[in-house]
Amino acid sequence: MENLSRRGMLSLGVALGLVGATGPGRAWAAPGATAPAGSATGPEYVWDAAADPLMASVIDNGQVPAVNAAWASWVNNNDPLPSGLPADVTAYLTTVNKLPTWADPAKLARAADFNRRRDTYLFMLYGLGSGIMSTVIPREARSVYWSAGGANMQDRAAKTFTFGYDLSQLGAFAPTGQFVVTANKTRMVHAAVRHLLPRSPHWTAVADESVPISAADILVTFHSLGTYVRRRMLDWGVPMPAADQEAFLHAWQVAIHLLGVPDEHIPQSWAAAEAQSAQVLTPILTPTPEGIELAEDLLGLTAQIDLGITRGVLNEFVRYVLSDQVGDWLGLKRDYAAATLVRTGWPAFILFREGLSPVLPGAFYMFDQLLRALAMLFLNKGSSSTTTPITIPTGNRA
């Protein structure tokens, strides 16, 4: 598992819970964090003191349908809070629906431009790297599978993908962007899942935790997304000036804050993130029955359309970006002709796109079609080309 152990690895994490996994008792030193390590309760024992009791009340009082209906039209960051919400929900959102005081507009703008310039690599890595990696993060796979959305992976993938997609948009944090609203809705869904999932006998039978989606779990997922993607692009030789890397990290820091992770646990440098990732993500990657089924569901989605992309190419691309060991764990059938095409064609594709080679790679059309296939499945975000309705669940997977 050289690729995974060498890089600190990744959701189309892709499955609406931005949940990760950590082992009990694992240290969570965060060099360079905003407060000294150990200055607060470790993130594996931190959930969401603001959102959790609120959402427990909303669920137990039968208010979920009203909240879902009220916030359906709440999409852009500058939209007023919707009317029709319970008073305590409005009061909560009034407090959290804003950027942290330390958010740097210049860095966020540069991050948006970076995302625009690197959208091809980000899309492939978030989708086929991070998304499939999430299925070998045991806690994430089990939480996703046994929650309500696990039974409909195309819908769940579209909803989860909206988090990364909105984060990557130009002006994501600007008034006309959508990410602040998306993050607030996602945070409330996390709180709902914390209340609901412990009621599932299926989840409790396999879980090694009593409450899902701790702050530590969210940090693990950040590493499976931001930390992994940055490392992979550097490995591929994609030019990434220091200012771009700093801006990319800053956007993720703001995103993690908006999900309710205490600032003192958010890594403040890529060196700190890499160190933390190697400690808390890489060692826990392993297959589960739930994760194997989720991976098959996700990779099987492209069978619904015919753009000339074979399942063999998908399997081999996953092996290329994650490792053969992950491919073996998930039972991805080998296609050695496709493997050769991917492992020689993708580096040539990058060189051509970066203007470092005038030679158009023979596999260019295949990669272009692969991107189009993934875009048709996820960028349409379900029934809308502009947003995906994020709704609070009322139960678990049957």
Side-chain angles (χ1 to χ4, degrees):
M1 187 159 168
E2 181 211 324
N3 288 344
L4 292 180
S5 60
R6 196 162 56 87
R7 300 171 168 86
M9 300 253 292
L10 157 339
S11 181
L12 271 318
V14 125
L16 188 59
L18 280 167
V19 294
T22 59
R26 192 173 299 283
W28 273 93
T34 56
S39 65
T41 303
E44 65 268 51
Y45 303 111
V46 174
W47 288 270
D48 196 326
D52 289 353
L54 172 70
M55 295 312 298
S57 173
V58 167
I59 292 169
D60 293 344
N61 291 328
Q63 296 173 313
V64 170
V67 173
N68 284 336
W71 78 9
S73 60
W74 182 44
V75 175
N76 293 330
N77 298 335
N78 62 354
D79 287 345
L81 292 179
S83 60
L85 292 173
D88 52 354
V89 173
T90 298
Y92 162 79
L93 288 173
T94 299
T95 301
V96 301
N97 189 40
K98 57 187 177 182
L99 295 176
T101 57
W102 46 263
D104 185 328
K107 289 182 179 179
L108 293 177
R110 182 161 189 139
D113 185 61
F114 168 78
N115 291 330
R116 176 190 61 80
R117 288 180 279 114
R118 300 298 180 219
D119 59 352
T120 296
Y121 312 130
L122 292 170
F123 188 58
M124 294 292 276
L125 286 170
Y126 282 147
L128 292 177
S130 301
I132 303 304
M133 191 197 298
S134 71
T135 69
V136 292
I137 299 175
R139 287 188 176 179
E140 179 161 1
R142 289 167 177 149
S143 294
V144 167
Y145 187 88
W146 291 115
S147 58
N152 184 345
M153 283 308 295
Q154 182 161 8
D155 177 71
R156 185 156 187 134
K159 287 179 177 178
T160 303
F161 186 71
T162 203
F163 188 92
Y165 181 75
D166 290 350
L167 175 61
S168 300
Q169 289 300 288
L170 284 172
F173 297 94
T176 55
Q178 298 181 2
F179 183 74
V180 178
V181 172
T182 295
N184 275 300
K185 289 182 177 181
T186 302
R187 180 176 176 179
M188 292 173 68
V189 169
H190 285 171
V193 171
R194 290 189 195 100
H195 186 59
L196 291 169
L197 206 50
R199 300 177 178 182
S200 166
H202 306 290
W203 180 78
T204 57
V206 296
D208 65 349
E209 56 187 341
S210 58
V211 180
I213 321 179
S214 68
D217 294 335
I218 295 173
L219 284 167
V220 166
T221 297
F222 154 64
H223 292 308
S224 74
L225 288 157
T227 308
Y228 162 75
V229 166
R230 169 187 171 270
R231 172 51 49 196
R232 256 316 196 180
M233 286 196 289
L234 289 174
D235 289 343
W236 286 345
V238 176
M240 292 180 67
D244 281 355
Q245 295 185 48
E246 184 178 357
F248 184 59
L249 174 62
H250 188 66
W252 272 107
Q253 290 168 331
V254 174
I256 297 166
H257 168 92
L258 290 173
L259 290 178
V261 175
D263 289 351
E264 63 263 27
H265 297 303
I266 300 175
Q268 294 298 294
S269 69
W270 280 121
E274 291 270 13
Q276 194 178 76
S277 178
Q279 183 183 40
V280 303
L281 173 61
T282 306
I284 56 85
L285 297 174
T286 195
T288 62
E290 293 87 354
I292 292 170
E293 185 171 334
L294 290 175
E296 183 60 31
D297 287 346
L298 287 169
L299 291 171
L301 291 177
T302 56
Q304 299 176 23
I305 56 179
D306 182 11
L307 290 178
I309 304 303
T310 69
R311 176 59 189 272
V313 170
L314 286 173
N315 286 357
E316 293 300 336
F317 199 90
V318 169
R319 287 176 174 273
Y320 175 63
V321 296
L322 290 181
S323 80
D324 282 331
Q325 181 165 12
V326 170
D328 291 343
W329 284 346
L330 297 175
L332 303 184
K333 294 181 180 179
R334 298 304 312 257
D335 183 328
Y336 292 102
T340 299
L341 194 61
V342 167
R343 293 171 189 268
T344 59
W346 184 253
F349 180 78
I350 291 175
L351 289 174
F352 182 79
R353 282 189 59 90
E354 296 302 320
L356 301 175
S357 171
V359 179
L360 181 69
F364 186 96
Y365 179 73
M366 180 196 73
F367 292 126
D368 181 65
Q369 291 295 88
L370 177 56
L371 286 163
R372 289 174 184 272
L374 292 170
M376 286 186 67
L377 287 170
F378 300 118
L379 285 182
N380 68 353
K381 299 179 168 189
S383 60
S384 169
S385 62
T386 57
T387 190
T388 296
I390 297 177
T391 54
I392 298 167
T394 56
N396 300 306
R397 183 175 185 144

